[in-house]
């Protein structure tokens, strides 16, 4: 495997020359909600749809996701649009089930240090996006990734999604310096999730542009057709209008960086 050029997932290169965009609802809530977003994502020329069926919620009283029913909705979206599906696996016992529906497994911030889950995911031949624990150092993130790779699963990419700091003006603190730092320390691709990092839809575009300028291999954002009615993370979800603006600005940045890098 050419580590400097990332890897491919069904024809989509992660960590290659062109940054990747991953977009979709925080949580699969209904077929209508997910298909509405999937169609917008597809129309924007994006290749990967995200959406949670198993949700790691802080409160056990909050909506926990639709489980397998949510995975089936993602499959419907995949069948209609051809988008690759990225969805979270929270527990080693869910891996077989999730792999039946997903193209990319996601390990969430709360599970970055769940070493038995990391080992179990190392045993499957499925690409994995590993999110940085919100209390984890960069070194701990890189070592967590090693757990997966050591099992023989080399198609791992990382996600900086904000860390907890003294400042709660934003939901977490986006550690953008981690991006060029990880580029120096590791060959693993790294994407940035400004939705969870900031918790605010109005900060997603500027932080996405900053992430790409800092050298990120992509960005992942949450999109909801009706953010005010979202069952999870509505405040940090782009409406479809904002998503249109996001696509315009991010595409311009990707083009600019491509021509800038060619000149170098
Ligand atoms: C998510 O991306 O759906 C998610 C739950 O994010 P995090 O694990 O970073 O909180
Ligand atoms: Mn979310």
């Amino acid at each position: 495997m050419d580590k400097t050029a990332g890897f491919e997932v069904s024809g989509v290169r992660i960590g290659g020359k062109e940054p990747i965009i991953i977009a979709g609802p925080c949580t699969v809530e209904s077929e209508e909600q997910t298909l509405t977003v999937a169609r917008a994502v597809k129309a924007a020329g994006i290749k990967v749809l995200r959406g949670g069926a198993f949700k790691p919620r802080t409160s056990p009283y909050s909506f926990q996701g639709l489980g397998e029913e949510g995975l089936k909705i993602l499959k419907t979206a995949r069948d209609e649009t051809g988008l690759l599906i990225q969805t979270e696996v929270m527990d080693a016992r869910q891996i077989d089930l999730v792999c039946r529906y997903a193209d990319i497994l996601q390990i969430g911030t709360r599970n970055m240090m769940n070493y038995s889950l990391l080992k179990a995911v190392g045993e499957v031949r499925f690409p994995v996006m590993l999110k940085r624990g919100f209390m984890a150092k960069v070194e701990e993130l890189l070592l967590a990734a090693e757990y997966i790779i050591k099992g023989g699963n080399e198609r791992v990419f990382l996600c900086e999604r904000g860390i907890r700091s003294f400042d709660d003006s934003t939901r977490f603190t986006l550690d953008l310096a981690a991006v060029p730092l990880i580029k120096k320390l590791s060959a693993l691709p790294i994407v940035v999730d400004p939705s969870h990092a900031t918790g605010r839809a109005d900060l997603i575009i500027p932080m996405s542009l900053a992430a790409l300028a800092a050298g990120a291999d992509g960005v992942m954002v949450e999109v909801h057709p009706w953010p005010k009615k979202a069952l999870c993370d509505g405040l940090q979800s782009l409406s479809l209008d904002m998503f249109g603006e996001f696509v315009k600005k991010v595409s311009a940045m990707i083009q600019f960086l491509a021509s800038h890098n060619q000149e170098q």
Side-chain angles (χ1 to χ4, degrees):
M1 193 171 63
D2 179 1
K3 293 220 165 167
T4 56
F7 54 84
E8 260 192 31
V9 187
S10 308
V12 176
R13 184 152 282 278
I14 296 179
K17 280 203 184 98
E18 176 140 342
I20 184 162
I21 302 173
I22 302 166
C26 171
T27 305
V28 175
E29 298 172 8
S30 68
E31 189 166 298
E32 190 194 5
Q33 170 243 18
T34 299
L35 285 181
T36 304
V37 177
R39 288 174 190 142
V41 167
K42 172 76 178 178
I46 291 168
K47 304 285 194 314
V48 185
L49 178 72
R50 60 145 290 143
F54 294 102
K55 293 304 298 179
R57 303 302 302 278
T58 302
S59 166
Y61 305 108
S62 302
F63 177 56
Q64 303 285 308
L66 293 175
E68 186 167 8
E69 195 192 329
L71 296 174
K72 287 185 178 155
I73 293 173
L74 287 170
K75 183 179 180 310
T76 305
R78 184 185 201 271
D79 290 346
E80 184 189 306
T81 60
L83 292 166
L84 300 184
I85 300 297
Q86 176 171 313
T87 195
E88 178 158 354
V89 57
M90 281 174 57
D91 186 301
R93 289 167 297 188
Q94 292 163 354
I95 294 175
D96 283 349
L97 176 68
V98 175
C99 285
R100 267 185 255 139
Y101 296 93
D103 298 286
I104 301 170
L105 303 177
Q106 176 171 319
I107 296 189
T109 193
R110 293 163 185 81
N111 266 323
M112 189 210 86
M113 289 191 185
N114 181 342
Y115 298 116
S116 53
L117 176 62
L118 300 179
K119 279 184 191 166
V121 159
E123 280 167 23
V124 296
R125 295 296 166 264
F126 255 75
V128 181
M129 187 186 83
L130 175 64
K131 299 190 87 171
R132 179 179 181 181
F134 59 73
M135 306 271 267
K137 300 200 291 182
V138 164
E139 186 190 8
E140 290 163 335
L141 171 62
L142 295 176
L143 287 170
E146 292 292 326
Y147 267 91
I148 303 171
I149 295 164
K150 190 166 177 281
N153 189 358
E154 296 202 332
R155 286 187 298 168
V156 178
F157 64 112
L158 309 172
C159 179
E160 160 59 38
R161 49 79 68 210
I163 50 175
R164 189 165 275 176
S165 78
F166 67 89
D167 191 353
D168 60 3
S169 318
T170 52
R171 188 175 178 192
F172 292 90
T173 296
L174 181 56
D175 180 13
L176 268 190
V179 172
L181 178 62
I182 286 171
K183 289 273 156 210
K184 284 191 190 291
L185 297 175
S186 164
L188 295 175
I190 171 148
V191 304
V192 169
D193 168 1
S195 294
H196 290 89
T198 66
R200 292 176 54 140
D202 61 339
L203 301 185
I204 292 177
I205 294 177
M207 296 324 288
S208 296
L209 300 178
L212 294 169
D217 293 295
V219 288
M220 178 172 88
V221 295
E222 291 187 335
V223 186
H224 199 291
W226 316 285
K228 288 202 173 98
K229 290 194 186 151
L231 297 180
C232 185
D233 289 350
L235 290 175
Q236 64 188 44
S237 296
L238 295 169
S239 64
L240 294 176
D241 281 352
M242 291 173 96
F243 177 60
E245 193 62 24
F246 162 86
V247 171
K248 243 195 281 171
K249 294 205 164 132
V250 161
S251 306
M253 176 58 104
I254 290 174
Q255 252 183 352
F256 167 77
L257 290 170
S259 55
H260 176 74
N261 290 339
Q262 247 166 20
E263 281 164 22
Q264 280 189 335

